Amino acid sequence: MPGGEIHLLVADLQVKVFPATGEKTVSLMCSSSCPLTESPVVYIWYKNTEFLYQDSSPWYQELISSEESVTYSCALKGYEHLRAPEVSVASLTSACFTVTYAKGRMCSNQQRPEDEPCSITYPREVQVHVQKTEADEHFKLACNTSCPQTEAQTITWYKNRRLEQEPQSVLSYSPHSYSCAVEHLFSDEVCVQDLNCFRVNYVNRRICALQGSSVNISSEYSDPYNQQSETKLWYKNRRSDVAAGEELIKSTDRIKFHGVMNRHILTIYKLNKNDSAEYIFRIGSDAGRWPAVPGVTLVVTDLKVRFSPSEEVTEGQRVTLTCRTSCPLTDNMNYIWYLNNQPLNLTKTQSKYLVLDPVSSEHAGNYSCKVKMLQKSSRQKMLTVHRRRKWTQAAIGYVALLLVIIPIIVFLWIRRKMTSIQSPRTETSFNLEEISPGQVYDDISAQPIEEDDILYSSVQLPNNRDALYSQIQSHQPQEEEQSPYAVVSFTPETTPE
């Protein structure tokens, strides 16, 4: 059933780590043990569990250095929930590198629990060593590595590029070629004596090339019978496309073959995306036979500009521009950056990264990049830089002013509240002012003598001259002798003991 088949392939997805040409770098590949049936296949890469990017190439876009705290994973689009186990790379040396897997099932020889992490140390080089034995014309083969820590790893043997048991001894005139592998890392093929057998090796097993450029895919071989060039053939194989199968490559205006000594070179000009495939070289009777040993993987990539953190930023932020590829190019590439089709004259050697720190409105525009010595550049991509709002500083001033005004308002409110508590005394003063002379005399005469102290105790004059006096003085008497206040004595009568 197609659905079940897809699930089987996704479940077997894993991130494979390969040594790169640089001594302190490796490359990553999202790999499955079987050909994928969906078309087109889109790979999604994750870094520290976060989505990074998606692309049609299974290769991670950059070379990786030793970063044990950084993890990588991949998935197929549409099956994001079924990711490959996370991996991290550490202890990178000229001889070894260590890969830590999040799932123990990746380390089958260690018998670890499936959900526990495990680590494998890989060699950067694998070689078959031919050693003569005491018996005449018998040789012993050993699979040697550049890293002694890999001795406990599983070693696989191949005879004439097909899976084989470990050879015990080999005759000197054997017509067979042998190779070995540690996990997914293969050695070159060897013959006990080149005069008696065919062997095929490749100068580079993985090639990343730019669209529009040219590439040389080189093979080294031994041909004991010096067969004609017609029997030396190149095949193109898309392992991701089962239906396509192998395709015999023929010479055209864009594809040429060259033979130099024991090398046979396939040259492809003006590369395009359809040239991405595996290329296999065969001699004579080996033509048309499916090899278990991989050939040369070619990935053709274009250039794309990527902004980080975003293509829309605000003045003052740090922005990193990356001239991105679908596979890792060599580190010695020189890049040229363009802003609105004009090259940027940078003081330092231009790399695939361009940092704008801090970014300003002058940096806004359409950016593109290209590799030096190549004509074709990437598509333009716009960077939008928003200006800082001019009223921002004024707003800060307003906030500071409010912080000063608010305490004053609170203070005045509290003072007013306290003043309102004393309001009854003030009302008495006002009421006293509004009483007519006749009323004053009537009130005094109406009160019994015994109650005088109560009347006087309710009219209290403060010691200081306050608002009460200002209110009384506002009424000017016409004649002093007619003032009703002249007959009012404010001296309280002493109560006899």
Side-chain angles (χ1 to χ4, degrees), residues 21-34:
T21 52
E23 289 188 354
K24 297 298 180 66
T25 57
V26 294
S27 56
L28 308 179
M29 179 185 180
C30 192
S31 174
S32 63
S33 60
C34 302

Side-chain angles (χ1 to χ4, degrees), residues 155-185:
I155 295 176
T156 307
W157 281 93
Y158 297 88
K159 178 180 175 182
N160 296 329
R161 294 167 292 284
R162 286 164 182 78
L163 198 60
E164 180 71 15
Q165 297 292 327
E166 180 178 1
Q168 300 301 317
S169 65
V170 180
L171 294 172
S172 60
Y173 51 84
S174 171
H176 306 299
S177 62
Y178 293 89
S179 62
C180 66
V182 175
E183 298 290 333
H184 53 276
L185 304 178

Side-chain angles (χ1 to χ4, degrees), residues 376-387:
K376 189 173 182 179
S377 61
S378 70
R379 291 183 179 179
Q380 291 186 341
K381 191 170 184 180
M382 178 176 287
L383 175 65
T384 303
V385 181
H386 297 287
R387 292 180 178 272

Side-chain angles (χ1 to χ4, degrees), residues 256-303:
K256 300 296 180 183
F257 303 104
H258 308 279
V260 181
M261 300 295 289
N262 65 331
R263 284 196 177 190
H264 203 268
I265 302 170
L266 166 64
T267 303
I268 306 176
Y269 300 94
K270 298 180 182 178
L271 288 167
N272 56 59
K273 289 292 188 73
N274 290 330
D275 293 322
S276 296
E278 180 185 14
Y279 292 86
I280 302 168
F281 178 68
R282 295 197 177 100
I283 304 174
S285 61
D286 192 46
R289 301 173 66 186
W290 182 274
V293 176
V296 177
T297 300
L298 171 65
V299 178
V300 180
T301 177
D302 55 1
L303 299 173

Side-chain angles (χ1 to χ4, degrees), residues 16 73 104 159 213 258 270 352 473 481:
K16 289 184 176 180
S73 181
K159 178 180 175 182
S213 65
H258 308 279
K270 298 180 182 178
K352 66 186 299 181
Q473 291 173 0
E481 59 272 10

Side-chain angles (χ1 to χ4, degrees), residues 336-346 350:
I336 301 176
W337 283 95
Y338 295 86
L339 174 57
N340 297 328
N341 292 321
Q342 298 299 317
L344 296 177
N345 296 321
L346 304 178
Q350 300 187 45

